Each structure stands twice: as structure tokens, then as C-alpha cells.
Amino acid sequence: MTDANTERKVEAAEKAALELANVSDADRSAALEAIGDAIDEHRESIIAVNDEDVAAAEELLEAGEYTQALVDRLKVDDAKVDSIVEMVESVAEMDDPLGETLAARHLDDDLDLYKVAVPIGVIGTVFESRPDALVQIAALALKSGNAVILKGGSEASESNRELFEIIREAAQEIEAIPEGWVQLIEAREAVDAVLSMDDHIDLLMPRGSSEFVSYVQDNTQIPVLGHTEGVCHVYVDSEADLEEAVEVAYDAKVQYPAVCNAVETLLVHEDVAESFLPEMADRYAEAGVELRGDERTREILADSDLDILEATDEDWRTEYGDLILSIKVVDSLVDAIDHVNTNGSKHTESILTEDDDKARTFMTAIDAASVFHNASTRFADGYRYGLGAEVGISTGKIHARGPVGLEGLTTYKYYLEGDGHLVASYAGEDALPFSHEKFDGEW
């Protein structure tokens, strides 16, 4: 189904995408610089409208309809505006992802084939409460030459509307940027309208629960690159530096618990559990983390003053997005790998060990977009990876995986340069041969 308003917006984005694909990197980057400046200049109005969203969300939090994690993700203050501006500037400074020759091949004399990076076209996105996600997605779309349809959550409607208007108006300062490249849809019904417009939209990127992403996949013919939940693990191996392990595991949960790359389950090898868990549990308790443990964890911590809840099977598969953590003692590296592959969401996993062979075994055996050795799961992020920003973290495997930055928003096309060449010359008894020789040429 479609509605007239959504259809007009999508068609405008489709028209703009054809023009934007041919706008120079200098103009796309200049537009991003204008956007960054405009957000900086309008920070007071951004924070003011965000305060309205936060106030409404806190009322729903008190009513039990929202979680604290959602409210935390919603807030925009001066520091958040600074980070948004910095992100936009970093995207502007990235190398142009378009026009790069990915491969070149001689087919025959004066017959050369080039594989060249180009934009995907029109990207539809649906994302959660973080207003900065709108800016990240729009910035990456513009830098990569894509038009974008933005649908944020109703809890951030005032913030999203303000940021959208700032982005749209600032980009129009650059004459080469076509109107309509960025569109905002707000009605819940508009999502179903977008799902039906496979003739106009090239890629959908939903960010949300597994159930929501599955709903999108089941109700559209448009290719879907899903950003789903992060059930992330940290495994403390028997050969871990336990002092370091305490710090890393603490960072992975406490530094910012409301995001998808925060750890949700801590796995501890039985050989170090008794020496590691008491100090680790105390650190978490000081930060207000609610701990849920398996039987062995609760036995080890029984003499402490901490109230360790009993972990259920559901806990091992839950993304809390809050100061809650499940802990399990495992018998071996193999058991840790099995637990992660059985219960994880293919997002980000980490092993803490001084044994490089064990680290390699863990990293190659785990099925996840990112696997770390002696590092916090919180590093799974487009900005920290040097991608400028991200439109989301893909837990699937096609066509992009992990933090999706500029490269993940491009595809390619083939350009063939000939000189009157005919296929007939390469067929029949006297067919000419192809050389198919790779070379380092640029189209």
C-alpha cells in the first residue's frame, strides 16, 4: 500500500538520487561542512526541542511504557551536539567513496573493462530513539551520493524534525546539491507504504529489534540490510591478565550500557572464576549494575554482600541495553565458543587472554561481525573504526557486515571501453581469444 504524501517524497528522492550520483565530491563535502556549521549554530534550538522529547519520554518512563535505556539514548546536550558536529566534519573529510576503480581488466587490444564504485541510489532507513542517528545516516548518504528516506521513532519526533530541517536547508546552500535528496517521514503508516515501493527504493536499513527487522524483511521485496540487537559477550580466559580483564569487562558494560555494542553476558573460565569474580562483581556493584549469574557464579559470590539473581535461559539471549549483566562460568574455551555461537546475535564478541593461539581459535570460530582480542566490545563503531560514522551495524553477511560506513553504501557498475569491437569477432571457428589480463588502470 502507498499513501500520496509518502509516494511524493520517495519519488522526489529517486529523482534527486540520479542527480546526486553525479555531484562532485567537493560539492558533497562542502554541503556536509555547511550542515556541520548549521548544527553548531542551531545547538540551542536543537537542545530545546530535545528537552521536549525527553520530558515526554520521562513521563512514559514513569508510567512503565519506556525504559531508562531508551530515555538515555534520546538525550541531546552540548557535548552530544559537539560529537554530532565532529562526526559530520569527519565524514566530510573522508576520501570520496565514488568513482574508485575497484578492478581493471584487458579483454583484448583496446578493449578494457573497469569495475567502478557508484552509489546504491535511494536508501530507506527506520531507526530508534537516538536523534544523532538521523544526522549520521544523512551525512553518510550525502557523502556516498545516495538519497535517503529517514523514519525515526515517535519518541524523538521534535528532535528529528528540527535536525532534518537544519540538514535540508544547509545542504541547499550548495547549488549542485539537488532538492529532495533527504526526506523525513513521520507517520507509522508510512513505513508500510515505504515497504511497498520496491520500484523506487534500492535498499532498506532498519535499526531495531530482531522482530522489527524480521517484519520488514517479511513485508517487502526491497533488499534489506538489517541492524538488529547486540547480545555481546566478553570471555575471560584462563590465561587472561585478570587486572586488565576487570578494566575491559567494566568498560564494556558501564561506559555506555544503552547501546548495542555493550556487553550483556560475561563468560569466565572456571580456572580463574574464584579469583576474578569477587573483584569484578564489586566493581560492577559500585556502578549500580544488576548481576544475574548461573549456579557456579552464585556459589562463588555467595559470601559477598551482593544480591546475585539467578540467570535464566532467556537471560543468555537478552539485550538489556541497561546496567544489567549475566555471568556464566564455563569449563573451557570450546564451551565459551559454543555458548556465544548458540546465544549471540552475531554482533560483537571479545576474548581476554594472553594466549595468542587461544585468541585466534576464538576469533576464527565465532560467527560475528566483529571479534576482538583484549579489547572492549564498545570499540565496534563506525567512527572508532575510521569509517567516519555508521548507518548501523549489520549482523547479516550480505552485502555489508559490521559497522556500515561509506563503503557499505556503495555498489559498482562495469564500464567497457572499446574501439568498434564486435562479439562476432570472438565467436566461431576463427574466434579471437580474450586476454583477460588484470592491470592497474583507472577509469
Side-chain angles (χ1 to χ4, degrees), residues 153-166:
S154 59
E155 67 280 354
S157 57
E158 297 297 331
S159 305
N160 288 337
R161 202 173 296 131
E162 178 76 5
L163 287 165
F164 166 75
E165 289 298 337
I166 292 169

Side-chain angles (χ1 to χ4, degrees), residues 2-194:
T2 61
D3 67 75
N5 188 43
T6 301
E7 190 169 355
R8 280 194 297 272
K9 290 181 176 181
V10 172
E11 288 177 350
E14 183 181 29
K15 180 176 183 296
L18 295 173
E19 298 178 42
L20 189 58
N22 295 292
V23 172
S24 71
D25 178 57
D27 284 329
R28 283 180 275 122
S29 296
L32 284 167
E33 289 166 4
I35 289 169
D37 290 342
I39 290 173
D40 194 20
E41 291 167 8
H42 290 83
R43 68 172 56 226
E44 288 185 9
S45 65
I46 293 168
I47 293 171
V49 298
N50 179 256
D51 286 343
E52 297 177 27
D53 285 332
V54 172
E58 286 177 338
E59 288 182 10
L60 291 170
L61 173 64
E62 289 179 13
E65 295 184 35
Y66 281 176
T67 64
Q68 184 63 54
L70 184 145
V71 177
D72 290 343
R73 289 195 295 267
L74 182 58
K75 292 178 181 177
V76 175
D77 55 16
D78 266 314
K80 178 64 75 173
V81 174
D82 287 341
S83 69
I84 291 173
V85 172
E86 182 182 356
M87 178 275 300
V88 174
E89 292 173 346
S90 73
V91 172
E93 293 167 2
M94 299 287 287
D95 291 339
D96 186 5
L98 306 180
E100 179 185 357
T101 298
L102 305 175
R105 194 183 299 269
H106 290 302
L107 303 189
D108 197 1
D109 291 341
D110 297 321
L111 186 62
D112 296 325
L113 182 68
Y114 300 87
K115 181 180 179 181
V116 179
V118 297
I120 289 174
V122 180
I123 298 170
T125 63
V126 186
F127 50 94
E128 77 292 349
S129 59
R130 289 171 46 210
D132 57 316
L134 181 146
V135 187
Q136 285 187 12
I137 295 166
L140 288 167
L142 179 55
K143 180 70 175 184
S144 57
N146 292 287
V148 63
I149 314 294
L150 301 164
K151 170 66 175 78
S154 59
E155 67 280 354
S157 57
E158 297 297 331
S159 305
N160 288 337
R161 202 173 296 131
E162 178 76 5
L163 287 165
F164 166 75
E165 289 298 337
I166 292 169
I167 290 168
R168 185 184 63 78
E169 291 178 11
Q172 293 313 127
E173 295 177 13
I174 308 303
E175 186 177 351
I177 303 298
E179 289 188 35
W181 72 273
V182 60
Q183 301 286 344
L184 180 69
I185 61 174
E186 299 186 79
R188 184 184 296 269
E189 299 75 25
V191 174
D192 286 330
V194 165

Side-chain angles (χ1 to χ4, degrees), residues 174-244:
I174 308 303
E175 186 177 351
I177 303 298
E179 289 188 35
W181 72 273
V182 60
Q183 301 286 344
L184 180 69
I185 61 174
E186 299 186 79
R188 184 184 296 269
E189 299 75 25
V191 174
D192 286 330
V194 165
L195 299 185
S196 69
M197 300 185 71
D198 50 283
D199 287 342
H200 305 284
I201 298 174
D202 299 290
L203 180 68
L204 290 174
M205 299 192 68
R207 294 172 56 155
S209 68
S210 295
E211 291 78 13
F212 174 68
V213 173
S214 294
Y215 174 82
V216 171
Q217 292 169 327
D218 292 343
N219 289 277
T220 188
Q221 296 183 48
I222 303 168
V224 176
L225 187 63
H227 170 118
T228 61
E229 61 211 5
V231 182
C232 304
H233 300 75
V234 168
Y235 167 56
V236 180
D237 180 58
S238 59
E239 305 301 322
D241 177 329
L242 298 187
E243 249 182 65
E244 179 182 279

Side-chain angles (χ1 to χ4, degrees), residues 203 223-226 394-401:
L203 180 68
V224 176
L225 187 63
S394 172
T395 51
K397 301 179 182 179
I398 300 173
H399 74 281
R401 197 177 193 191

